[in-house]
Amino acid sequence: MDLNRENMKKIALIAGGTAVLYWALNNFADVQHIFASAVGLIFPFLLGLGIAFVLNVPMRGLERLLFRPWKRLGGRVPLARMKRPFCLILTIVLVFGLGGLVVIPQLGSVVLTLRDAAPAFFAQIQSWSGELLEKYPQVGEYIRRIDWQEIAAQIVQFLKAGAGSMLNSTVGVISSVFSGATTAFLALIFACYVLAQKEKLGAQCRKLLYAHAKTEHADSLLRICALANRTFGNFITGQCVEAVILGCMFFIAMTVFRFPYALTISVIVTFTALIPVFGAFIGAILGALLILVNDPMRALWFVVLFLVIQQIEGNLIYPRVVGSSVGLPGIWVLVAVTIGGSAFGIVGMLIMVPMGSVIYSVVREYTRKKLEEKGVPREKYQPALKEQPEDGKGEVS
């Protein structure tokens, strides 16, 4: 190999990368701390990009719905300049305003219902406990043998010892809430800026990419980014459709079987089901608590109903609706959700399905290209529609 300038540059890069990797492996804790600090600094902007991506889906739909007919009719100025800010404001109002107007009143109704039903519920518990003690007097005898004064003294001592830590925890919680609210506000402002100038920012990113990378590499990366953008957008749409289907299933089933609070529980389940596969459990827990204070036996049957609907939704509807929207077969949707949830929790569930679809599409395209280059006929790998019997005297359909 000639030691020209280009080769010397490659050797220097390899040596430098090897040295950095060696240092990182021997100082993994420091690398972890540096990485966590860097992520903490840019987290509001990463969150803002995520919010912008999610809000871009309904905003793009509103722009097509409201302004494409106007453009076809020859309308230009001044409505053309108002398109982006008008649709951005309308998207924020619809997403956050509709969520607040629908979910918050329903949650408030749940809290008020639990508060009003609590006295009767505790009175019923007291009545049941009295009947239990009357039926099984040995249980009452065992309860009377318990030294309640000693238990009360231990509780008081525990509270005294933990008062300082509880105060520190309270201060920490308040600080975390304030920090989270500040981060969310900054992320929302950054998302608005990104959405308002997304074409300009996209052009700047493409300019940097083509300036510092080979043209074929830049083309490949932009094609994958376009695929990822389309896949993630379809995933969000499919997730919303699936949540609405699940909410409707709950409302119809609860109405047919005469469960109380059918509309309230169905709305809560619809919004919590936006978290893939396992989000509906949150709404189901709230619904079970709401029914429990009125009729514990009905709450038990509600749990059974939820498990049945969840099995139908998780194994039949979700893979088909979300899988078809992102172009991923149902079996791989379940694999992606399972792996993402095990590795990264709820965030992993949200990103692994569209990410798996991108990987699936890239691998499928690369595999098809390699098969064409090798000249492999389709009969070698395409499953036959009809199988020939071994003796060749007929067909098995």
Side-chain angles (χ1 to χ4, degrees), residues 15-31:
T18 304
V20 171
L21 179 61
Y22 177 79
W23 177 85
L25 292 176
N26 287 277
N27 300 273
F28 187 73
D30 295 335
V31 173

Side-chain angles (χ1 to χ4, degrees), residues 5-262:
R5 186 175 180 180
E6 187 68 24
N7 290 333
M8 290 294 293
K9 184 178 180 180
K10 292 180 179 179
I11 293 173
L13 288 174
I14 293 173
T18 304
V20 171
L21 179 61
Y22 177 79
W23 177 85
L25 292 176
N26 287 277
N27 300 273
F28 187 73
D30 295 335
V31 173
Q32 217 172 8
H33 177 71
I34 294 172
F35 180 76
S37 301
V39 171
L41 288 175
I42 64 174
F43 179 74
F45 305 104
L46 295 177
L47 181 61
L49 289 175
I51 295 174
F53 184 84
V54 173
L55 293 180
N56 184 54
V57 176
M59 187 185 77
R60 189 170 51 198
L62 288 174
E63 288 179 350
R64 288 198 297 262
L65 178 65
L66 299 178
F67 286 88
R68 182 171 291 181
W70 170 261
K71 186 177 180 180
R72 290 176 179 174
L73 293 175
R76 297 182 183 274
V77 182
L79 286 183
R81 296 178 180 177
M82 296 173 57
K83 177 179 72 171
R84 181 57 51 77
F86 177 76
C87 291
L88 177 58
I89 294 173
L90 184 59
T91 299
I92 294 175
V93 170
L94 288 176
V95 172
F96 294 100
L98 182 62
L101 290 175
V102 174
V103 177
I104 293 178
Q106 297 296 336
L107 291 177
S109 174
V110 170
V111 173
L112 293 177
T113 302
L114 291 175
R115 183 199 65 182
D116 296 338
F121 176 71
F122 287 119
Q124 190 176 12
I125 293 294
Q126 186 177 5
S127 175
W128 285 350
S129 60
E131 294 177 359
L132 180 65
L133 293 176
E134 184 177 351
K135 188 175 182 179
Y136 302 100
Q138 60 272 21
V139 176
E141 184 66 25
Y142 176 77
I143 294 176
R144 281 191 292 270
R145 291 177 182 176
I146 298 176
D147 191 350
W148 295 105
Q149 292 183 352
E150 182 180 354
I151 294 176
Q154 291 178 357
I155 293 174
V156 171
Q157 184 178 1
F158 173 77
L159 292 176
K160 287 181 179 180
S165 60
M166 288 179 63
L167 180 60
N168 294 332
S169 300
T170 303
V171 174
V173 168
I174 294 174
S175 176
S176 299
V177 171
F178 180 77
S179 176
T182 304
T183 300
F185 179 75
L186 291 175
L188 182 59
I189 297 299
F190 182 71
C192 292
Y193 275 105
V194 171
L195 289 173
Q197 303 180 6
K198 61 178 183 177
E199 290 85 4
K200 183 178 180 180
L201 292 174
Q204 292 174 348
C205 291
R206 288 192 294 271
K207 186 186 298 184
L208 287 173
L209 183 61
Y210 279 108
H212 299 282
K214 294 182 179 180
T215 302
E216 57 271 19
H217 294 166
D219 291 337
S220 299
L221 182 59
L222 289 176
R223 187 173 66 253
I224 293 175
C225 290
L227 175 63
N229 178 50
R230 184 171 61 253
T231 302
F232 274 79
N234 292 337
F235 171 72
I236 294 173
T237 304
Q239 192 66 39
C240 293
V241 171
E242 186 270 340
V244 172
I245 292 175
L246 182 62
C248 292
M249 290 175 62
F250 263 96
F251 179 74
I252 294 173
M254 294 182 68
T255 302
V256 169
F257 293 105
R258 300 184 182 277
F259 281 94
Y261 312 112

Side-chain angles (χ1 to χ4, degrees), residues 278 334-350 352:
F278 302 105
L334 293 177
V335 171
V337 169
T338 303
I339 295 176
S342 300
F344 305 106
I346 294 176
V347 177
M349 296 179 195
L350 289 171
M352 276 304 293

